[in-house]
Structures are given as structure tokens and as C-alpha cells.
């Protein structure tokens, strides 16, 4: 990011006044006092002052994008979080005017500078930001908090960090910023930082999905991978083929087109893309409830019937409907765990295979490649689970993004062949594996075994997966958090920051603090130190120590 001259001047002043802290420094500098930041910024410096924040903190904006409604809405959201104890903040401005001579605050305004007026949200959007917080004195020209970013989405990330600097002091009943002045220059390590949710195994109401999205923004995750349908249920409205959602569990467990559009809108306001998934040709039994011709036979309900053009017409229709809802450039086509045995045992499919001299593996490849071309024709980049690469990688469209889940070295192999890869190793980043503790999630490195810088760039990021077989509304958030935060820092912060030192000293205290921050914001994150994820604490104790 290029800073404007006044901010560069301020940076020099701040650096001269404060002790620079790099992410690889010993943990003691992070443990002296709050606030703790999660995920750890790329570069930051701090001092030893405590500043008070005006409960009627004002917003000023600058730059081509400063006036974006995304910025204004985010400011209002974060003010509600920061000043949650100011129960009548709307009247605080009048109170401040009335008692101006009695109370003076160090930080009275937040300036947000956004250089670009584009609100397009796609892979690789610039999320970098600079945050400065200092007291107004003869050496400083800021006298407030300033966030500077190239895009509104960088400004959102800066607002999250600013909110984490703010702490409520119960003795003075005021919001304080400790260890000021602060200078933070930050950007993500990976451009894709995802969380998968599964609404086929258990339906998740729209408000719950919104809670998940909101919580993602606190950890700077930026892609919601929505595994919408699977063999168990088809809860999604598709106007072109309206009988498909007859495969829903019930008529009350469905998503309308308007529901999905609202989820996408809500996510965009928080800088989060939504990647939809239609898993084919396996994991699709529920499709046949509405259209039985999609089943090869009543006893062979998946994989979908590879022999019929109707099957691909339905896929094309679904994708055409979804393209009107999901603007993100990626679309996930699944392709995992395809058992083709019943294809070989279904008469008309067997004859079709023989007529084309196909093995069942050939038919699997034919299906995946044809589905890919449908997605590409609708201006989507296809994403597929790793089995497609392992089975016929040389035939995949070169634009394919391979998502790892099963074999630990798939990303190594995929990028060696020139494919992009998303890391989601099930041994550590599948959140439904409840026996995986936070430190194993944290220590899992997407680039292990990949040494060529050009190949490292092809690993676009990673994703933690909240599969829904054993998680519904009652437990989904406490299963996601706080372990997803461990992966979130791995994907945001520099590799050096998360790979050096004793993480029980450098990361664990901050993760405890972040878990409590989630709780304070209404997210029921489970105790960090649980030996089995999502369980309640084993006894009395502080949130900051469990």
C-alpha cells in the first residue's frame, strides 16, 4: 500500500516514539497486558500509553471509496460492539457537549481513507490496511485513529483490528486503548481463507448462517464454502427445476432464492465471498426425490445417471439459477467419493458403457469434465475435490482448483502439475473431528513440502470444514470456534509469526482472549483447552483460562 505524505510523516513519528514489535518476537511482549490481537498483524508497533475513547466516536472518511455504504455500515456495527456498555450511545453526543469541560477523551474520531471506489469482491481483492492510533499532542498530527486501505474490504479488516484494540474498563466505565501509540501495517498471507458449512446433513436457518458469517469476519476469514445439497437433502430452490427441493427434509427446511441472495449480500457487507457447491455425480441421491429420472434405477440412486442428457440439462439449469445469486468466480462441483458399482449393475448404463468402450472410471471422468464445461460456460472457475485430480488429473480443465481433503500431499502434487490448490487436510482441518486440539489445527502448514516459490503461489489458501452429520444449530458455532480461529491465524499471519517459538506462550494466551471476545460478542465459542471439542468446561473458572 502507498501511504499519503501526512500518514508517512505520522508513521515516522510513531516509530520514533514506540518499540517495534515483530511477529516473531518473544511472547512476553504480548503477555504484559491486553489487548491481544487475533490474527496477528504482519507488522505492528506499540507504546506504553493508555488512551480513552469517546463513546460518541465520530467517523470521517476520505478517498474515492471512503463514502461507501459498506464502510458506514461496518462502522456502525463495530461501534455497537465496542461501546456495548454505553446503553444509550445515541444520546452520548449531547452528554459530551454538556460536560465537555469536565471530560476529555484522547480518541474522539476515527478516520477511514479508502482509495478505490470499487466494491467488487473477488479472489485476491486487496485486504491490506494501515491502522494508526495516537494521542493528539505536539508531536502527532493524527490525534485520533486512522485506517487507510486501498479497498473497502481492507478497511473492514482494519476496523476489526481497531475493535480488538478497544477494551472496556469496568472501573472507569470507559473504553480504553492500551499500549498506544499503535501503528499496524497488515495484509493476509493467503488470498483464500475459507470455512465450509453443510446444510444438507442438517438444515441451518438463515439467521444461524448469518451468525456464522459474522463470526468469520472477526477472524478475518473471507470465503464461506456453502455445501448446500447432498444425498440426504436438497433444500435449495431452483426455479428452472422446481421439484428439486422436494428432496428437502421438510417444507420448512428450505432456502428460497431470496434467502440465498440475502446470505450473499450479508456476507459481502463483511468482505466474505460465498462459494456454492453442487456435488456431482455422487452425493446426489436427494435430487431424485423430485426428478426420479435422475436416478439410474430405483435401486441405484447415485451416482446420477451418466447416460441421459436430462441429467446435464438439470445441472445446467441449477447452475444458471445459481449464477444469478452467487457472483463469486469459483463454483464447487464436488466429485468426491464416487462409487460407480451400481452403474455397472444397471442394464441401460452398462449398455451405454459398452457402446462407448468406457470403464466406469471413464464414465466418472466423462461426467466430471462435462459438468466442468457447463460451469465454465457460465463464467465460473470449477473447483473439485481431490479425487478428480488423483483419478484423471491430466484431463481436468487447466483452470480447475483442486481442493485437498484426504491425502496429505495432494497440494504438492497438484501445484507441481500447474493446478491451484486449496488445503483442507481432514486430519487437522475437519472441524467435525472433535478429538483434534487447537494446537494441531494451528501447527498445520498448507505449504509443507512445497519449496518452489512459483508452486507455493498456486496454493491459494486453505479451508476448515464444518461437516454437518453431527452438528446442527444447537452446537454448530461452538464446534467451529475457537478451533477455526487457529487455522485463521495460520492463513492470515506471516509464516514466520506462526511457526516460531512456543505456541503455548506466543499464541495460546491470545487465543484464550479471542475466544472470550467471541463470547462477549454473542458467539458461543467452546473452551480452548477442551480435550474434546465443543464440550462445556469441566468445572468453574475464568473464560480467559479455559
Amino acid at each position: 500500500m502507498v501511504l499519503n505524505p501526512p500518514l508517512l510523516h505520522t508513521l515516522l513519528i510513531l516509530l520514533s516514539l514506540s518499540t517495534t514489535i515483530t511477529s516473531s518476537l518473544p511472547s512476553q511482549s504480548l503477555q504484559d497486558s491486553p489487548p491481544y490481537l487475533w490474527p496477528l498483524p504482519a507488522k505492528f508497533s506499540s507504546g506504553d500509553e493508555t488512551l480513552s475513547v469517546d463513546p460518541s466516536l465520530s467517523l470521517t472518511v476520505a478517498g474515492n471509496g471512503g463514502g461507501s455504504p459498506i464502510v458506514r455500515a461496518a462502522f456502525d456495527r463495530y461501534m455497537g460492539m465496542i461501546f456495548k456498555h454505553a446503553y444509550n450511545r445515541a444520546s452520548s453526543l449531547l452528554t459530551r457537549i454538556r460536560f465537555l469541560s469536565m471530560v476529555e477523551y484522547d480518541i474522539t474520531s476515527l478516520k477511514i481513507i479508502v482509495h478505490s471506489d470499487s466494491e467488487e469482491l473477488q479472489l485476491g481483492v486487496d485486504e491490506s490496511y494501515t491502522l494508526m492510533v495516537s494521542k493528539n499532542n505536539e508531536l502527532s498530527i493524527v490525534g485520533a485513529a486512522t485506517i487507510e486501505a486501498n479497498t473497502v474490504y481492507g478497511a473492514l479488516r482494519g476496523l476489526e483490528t481497531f475493535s480488538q484494540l478497544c477494551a472496556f474498563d469496568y472501573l472507569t466505565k470507559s473504553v480504553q486503548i492500551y499500549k498506544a501509540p499503535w501503528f499496524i501495517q497488515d495484509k493476509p498471507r493467503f488470498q483464500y481463507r475459507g470455512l465450509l458449512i453443510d446444510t444438507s446433513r442438517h438444515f441451518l436457518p438463515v439467521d444461524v448462517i448469518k451468525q456464522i458469517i459474522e463470526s468469520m469476519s472477526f477472524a478475518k476469514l473471507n470465503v464461506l464454502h456453502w455445501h448446500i445439497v447432498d444425498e440426504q437433502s436438497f433444500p435449495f430452490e431452483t426455479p428452472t427445476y422446481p421439484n428439486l427441493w422436494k428432496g428437502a427434509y421438510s417444507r420448512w427446511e428450505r432456502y428460497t432464492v431470496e434467502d440465498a441472495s440475502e446470505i450473499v449480500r450479508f456476507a459481502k457487507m463483511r468482505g466474505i465471498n460465498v462459494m456454492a457447491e453442487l456435488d456431482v455425480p455422487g452425493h446426489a441421491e436427494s435430487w431424485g426425490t423430485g426428478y426420479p429420472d435422475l436416478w439410474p434405477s430405483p435401486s441405484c440412486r447415485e451416482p446420477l445417471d451418466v447416460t441421459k442428457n436430462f441429467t446435464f440439462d438439470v445441472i445446467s439449469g441449477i447452475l444458471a439459477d445459481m449464477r444469478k445469486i452467487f457472483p463469486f468466480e469459483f463454483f464447487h462441483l464436488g466429485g468426491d467419493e464416487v462409487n460407480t458399482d451400481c452403474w455397472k449393475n444397471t442394464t441401460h448404463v452398462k449398455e451405454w458403457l459398452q457402446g462407448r468402450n468406457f470403464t466406469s472410471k471413464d464414465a466418472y471422468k466423462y461426467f466430471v469434465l462435462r459438468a466442468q464445461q457447463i460451469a465454465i460456460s457460465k463464467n465460473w472457475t470449477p473447483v473439485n475435490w481431490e479425487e478428480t485430480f488423483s483419478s484423471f488429473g491430466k484431463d481436468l480443465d487447466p483452470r480447475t482448483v483442486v481442493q485437498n481433503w484426504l491425502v496429505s500431499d495432494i497440494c504438492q502434487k497438484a501445484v507441481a502439475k500447474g493446478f491451484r490448490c486449496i488445503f483442507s487436510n481432514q486430519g487437522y482441518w475437519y472441524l467435525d473431528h472433535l478429538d483434534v486440539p487447537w494446537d494441531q489445527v494451528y501447527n498445520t502448514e498448507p505449504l509443507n513440502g512445497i519449496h518452489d516459490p512459483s508452486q507455493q503461489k498456486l496454493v491459494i489458501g486453505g479451508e476448515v470444514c464444518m461437516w454437518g452429520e453431527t452438528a446442527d444449530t444447537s452446537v454448530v458455532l461452538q464446534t467451529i470456534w475457537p478451533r477455526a480461529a487457529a487455522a485463521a491465524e495460520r492463513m492470515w499471519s506471516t509464516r514466520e509469526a506462526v511457526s516460531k517459538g512456543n505456541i503455548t506462550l506466543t499464541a495460546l494466551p491470545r487465543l484464550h482472549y479471542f475466544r472470550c471476545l467471541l463470547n462477549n460478542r454473542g458467539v458461543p465459542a467452546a473452551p480452548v483447552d477442551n480435550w474434546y471439542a465443543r464440550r462445556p468446561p469441566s468445572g468453574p473458572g475464568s473464560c480467559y483460562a479455559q
Side-chain angles (χ1 to χ4, degrees), residues 410-421 450 455 458-459:
I410 281 295
C411 277
Q412 297 175 39
K413 294 176 179 178
V415 299
K417 297 295 185 181
F419 291 101
R420 288 179 291 176
C421 193
I450 304 173
Q455 293 182 7
L458 293 176
V459 180

Side-chain angles (χ1 to χ4, degrees), residues 404-476:
N404 150 254
W405 73 277
L406 188 58
V407 180
S408 60
D409 64 351
I410 281 295
C411 277
Q412 297 175 39
K413 294 176 179 178
V415 299
K417 297 295 185 181
F419 291 101
R420 288 179 291 176
C421 193
I422 297 169
F423 178 88
S424 301
N425 188 285
Q426 66 160 344
Y428 305 103
W429 283 14
Y430 268 30
L431 299 174
D432 56 314
H433 293 194
L434 302 179
D435 57 345
V436 179
W438 78 271
D439 56 317
Q440 291 185 22
V441 178
Y442 190 86
N443 284 326
T444 298
E445 171 53 49
L447 296 186
N448 272 349
I450 304 173
H451 306 293
D452 185 325
S454 64
Q455 293 182 7
Q456 290 180 342
K457 291 179 181 178
L458 293 176
V459 180
I460 60 174
E463 181 177 289
V464 285
C465 299
M466 183 61 264
W467 293 107
E469 286 90 344
T470 62
D472 66 359
T473 296
S474 66
V475 295
V476 66

Side-chain angles (χ1 to χ4, degrees), residues 311-545:
T311 302
F312 298 96
D313 290 342
V314 172
I315 292 173
S316 182
I318 298 171
L319 266 60
D321 289 341
M322 287 185 165
R323 199 58 175 119
K324 299 171 185 175
I325 301 169
F326 299 101
F328 189 41
E329 64 197 77
F330 287 176
F331 189 89
H332 207 300
L333 290 165
D336 62 315
E337 297 181 317
V338 179
N339 185 338
T340 60
D341 288 348
C342 78
W343 274 353
K344 294 181 288 186
N345 297 322
T346 302
T347 301
H348 77 276
V349 179
K350 184 176 180 180
E351 292 173 352
W352 184 87
L353 293 172
Q354 291 172 344
R356 286 159 178 75
N357 197 27
F358 273 7
T359 64
S360 57
K361 181 179 177 180
D362 292 331
Y364 167 38
K365 178 177 73 173
Y366 168 84
F367 199 116
V368 168
L369 298 185
R370 190 167 172 181
Q372 282 198 332
Q373 290 310 306
I374 293 171
I376 290 168
S377 74
K378 302 185 189 311
N379 200 30
W380 259 321
T381 297
V383 183
N384 284 97
W385 294 109
E386 68 177 56
E387 288 95 324
T388 60
F389 172 79
S390 299
S391 299
F392 41 85
K394 64 182 179 62
D395 298 308
L396 291 173
D397 188 279
R399 289 165 282 192
T400 303
V401 178
V402 177
Q403 184 163 7
N404 150 254
W405 73 277
L406 188 58
V407 180
S408 60
D409 64 351
I410 281 295
C411 277
Q412 297 175 39
K413 294 176 179 178
V415 299
K417 297 295 185 181
F419 291 101
R420 288 179 291 176
C421 193
I422 297 169
F423 178 88
S424 301
N425 188 285
Q426 66 160 344
Y428 305 103
W429 283 14
Y430 268 30
L431 299 174
D432 56 314
H433 293 194
L434 302 179
D435 57 345
V436 179
W438 78 271
D439 56 317
Q440 291 185 22
V441 178
Y442 190 86
N443 284 326
T444 298
E445 171 53 49
L447 296 186
N448 272 349
I450 304 173
H451 306 293
D452 185 325
S454 64
Q455 293 182 7
Q456 290 180 342
K457 291 179 181 178
L458 293 176
V459 180
I460 60 174
E463 181 177 289
V464 285
C465 299
M466 183 61 264
W467 293 107
E469 286 90 344
T470 62
D472 66 359
T473 296
S474 66
V475 295
V476 66
L477 280 160
Q478 50 266 60
T479 310
I480 293 171
W481 305 108
R483 291 182 303 156
E489 178 155 290
R490 172 66 57 170
M491 292 186 282
W492 177 278
S493 305
T494 66
R495 187 171 185 176
E496 294 73 23
V498 296
S499 301
K500 291 183 179 180
N502 182 345
I503 64 170
T504 61
L505 299 176
T506 60
L508 182 57
R510 291 186 299 108
L511 185 55
H512 278 302
Y513 193 89
F514 183 73
R515 180 252 170 163
C516 299
L517 178 142
L518 291 174
N519 287 175
N520 286 329
R521 292 181 179 182
V523 181
V528 174
D529 295 329
N530 271 0
W531 67 271
Y532 204 64
R534 83 178 176 214
R535 289 194 173 182
S538 57
S542 166
C543 172
Y544 297 93

Side-chain angles (χ1 to χ4, degrees), residues 205-232:
V206 171
D207 283 349
V208 174
I209 295 176
K210 286 184 173 182
Q211 290 172 25
I212 293 170
I213 292 169
E214 187 84 70
S215 67
M216 289 173 65
S217 70
F218 302 153
K220 298 186 172 74
L221 295 174
N222 70 345
V223 180
L224 179 73
H225 175 175
W226 189 2
H227 187 87
I228 304 174
V229 304
D230 208 290
E231 62 188 62
Q232 290 84 1

